[in-house]
Amino acid sequence: MDGTNDEVFDLLIVGGGLAGATLACALGGQGLRIALVEAVGGDDRQPPGFDDRALALARATRQVFRALALWPALAPQAAPIRHIHVSNRGHFGFVHLDAEEACVPALGYVIGARELGQAVVARARSLDDVHWFCPATLVAIEPGTATVAVRIRQPEGTRRLRARLLVGADGTTSAVREQMGVPVTTHDYGQTAVIANLVPERDPAATAWERFTADGPLAVLPLTEGRCALVWTWRNDRVEEVMGWSDERFLAELQPVFGYRLGRFLAVGRRSSYPLRLVRARRSVGDRMVLVGNAAHSLHPVAAQGFNLGIRDLAALAELVVAARRAGDDIGGPAVLARYERWRRGDQRRAIALTDGLVRLFGSRFPPLVLARNLGMLAMDALPPAKSLLAGVMMGRAGRAPRLVRGLAL
């Protein structure tokens, strides 16, 4: 094929989930012609790839959605986190973080992935310079010098698109990453997250709890209307049993593990389960190609770092692309992609080290290590500088902040 009849774009995003749609929102209106390829069809009420999970948004992530003028639509559905309580079941160590001590209105927010997805996808679909190809699946990537060509399959047949920059935002099992030939580092934690919504006796009062147990971390996060989101980690060999429990049995097992900080749990919603693995691409850029979101790194949900890390990546990429366009530079050239990889490398390594380290640290039963971590938690809670550092991590403060993370327009 000579490419004469190819449709040409500045930017081509594969994956119309939260990562791809957010990037499209960030770059819309910047004088770029954008293609967005998504495999799952549907309307704005049922956006692709979203489920009943709740997402904990760091304060930095909230700033991004505020800069994109999306926050007014999200705020009524987002529950603020003003207090975070971290503890280790059966041990004396704990840490308490407070928004007032950090001099911010909230340390973060919790919102349903479905509600967030509906708002972001609706905005991306409304942009005149974002052209959706949906449903469409990636068939092949054909690298080139000035552009990269992508063959996609739609119900009516196969077509070829070309762009100066290809963005892989197609999730943990990324087809873009596979076709780029990028190897991954994978670690299976032998754990599965059981997800559900809860109705407690008492209102969660803007408090999030992270509790480490013998089976894995347990998080209870505030939602609107007095509800809570539960992320309960289990060893893989127990998950089938847990998912088979009646609602009454499930709540009876949960209550002593979490305690009675919210009184009794009165009801539990539909349960889902997700195996937990660390998946990290060995590199995130290639010739006119870049990986973002879970295509670049999929983390354990402890400390709620994964989604927020991906949003910071998108904010940095959008800033570099817009700056290159305004300067008349090649948005998909090696100089831009090298700057992106250098900028994001440190934040990515820190987030991965934090989540992986917490899982390993609190999964150990070695007595000296157990004593050290409990003493360390008490010391951190008693030392304002240490608490301030931890609060900064939870709010998404990490190195050089992109403009969107600072709440500024591109």
Side-chain angles (χ1 to χ4, degrees), residues 280-355:
R280 183 184 186 185
R282 298 281 183 88
R283 55 185 172 86
S284 58
V285 302
D287 293 337
R288 298 197 171 276
M289 292 177 270
V290 59
L291 301 171
V292 298
N294 285 343
H297 40 64
S298 182
L299 280 57
H300 194 287
V302 65
Q305 293 293 299
F307 176 71
N308 295 294
L309 175 65
I311 291 294
R312 296 196 296 273
D313 289 344
L314 295 176
L317 179 61
E319 183 170 327
L320 290 171
V321 166
V322 169
R325 181 203 164 272
R326 289 173 180 168
D329 296 333
D330 185 351
I331 66 168
V336 171
L337 296 182
R339 282 198 293 272
Y340 170 77
E341 194 160 43
R342 284 196 303 270
W343 186 354
R344 299 304 304 148
R345 185 180 295 128
D347 189 14
Q348 292 171 356
R349 286 177 175 172
R350 284 189 295 269
I352 292 170
L354 173 64
T355 56

Side-chain angles (χ1 to χ4, degrees), residues 352-369:
I352 292 170
L354 173 64
T355 56
D356 188 57
L358 284 173
V359 174
R360 295 174 189 269
L361 174 63
F362 283 92
S364 174
R365 300 183 185 181
F366 182 53
L369 188 57

Side-chain angles (χ1 to χ4, degrees), residues 13 101 120 155 157 366 406:
I13 303 169
E101 291 180 3
V120 174
F366 182 53
R406 289 178 278 144

Side-chain angles (χ1 to χ4, degrees), residues 253-269:
E253 295 283 348
L254 172 64
Q255 197 74 67
V257 177
F258 179 74
Y260 290 84
R261 301 164 183 82
L262 296 174
R264 291 189 173 277
F265 291 118
L266 305 177
V268 60

Side-chain angles (χ1 to χ4, degrees), residues 206-282:
T207 302
W209 288 269
E210 183 90 52
R211 190 158 172 76
F212 292 92
T213 76
D215 290 297
L218 180 153
V220 175
L221 309 173
L223 291 171
T224 56
E225 301 175 345
R227 301 167 300 132
C228 293
L230 170 71
V231 183
W232 194 359
T233 306
W234 284 89
R235 299 192 314 271
N236 287 344
D237 60 2
R238 296 288 310 279
V239 173
E240 185 175 353
E241 174 194 351
V242 172
M243 293 297 290
W245 288 342
S246 66
D247 288 353
E248 293 76 15
R249 170 77 185 279
F250 186 85
L251 293 177
E253 295 283 348
L254 172 64
Q255 197 74 67
V257 177
F258 179 74
Y260 290 84
R261 301 164 183 82
L262 296 174
R264 291 189 173 277
F265 291 118
L266 305 177
V268 60
R270 183 175 65 89
R271 282 167 264 161
S272 303
S273 62
Y274 301 90
L276 301 178
R277 297 184 302 155
L278 168 64
V279 179
R280 183 184 186 185
R282 298 281 183 88

Side-chain angles (χ1 to χ4, degrees), residues 7 64 71 76 106 108 124-125 157 163 179 269 274 278 327 363 371 401:
E7 198 164 358
V64 171
W71 192 247
R125 285 189 176 277
Q179 295 217 21
Y274 301 90
L278 168 64
L371 176 62

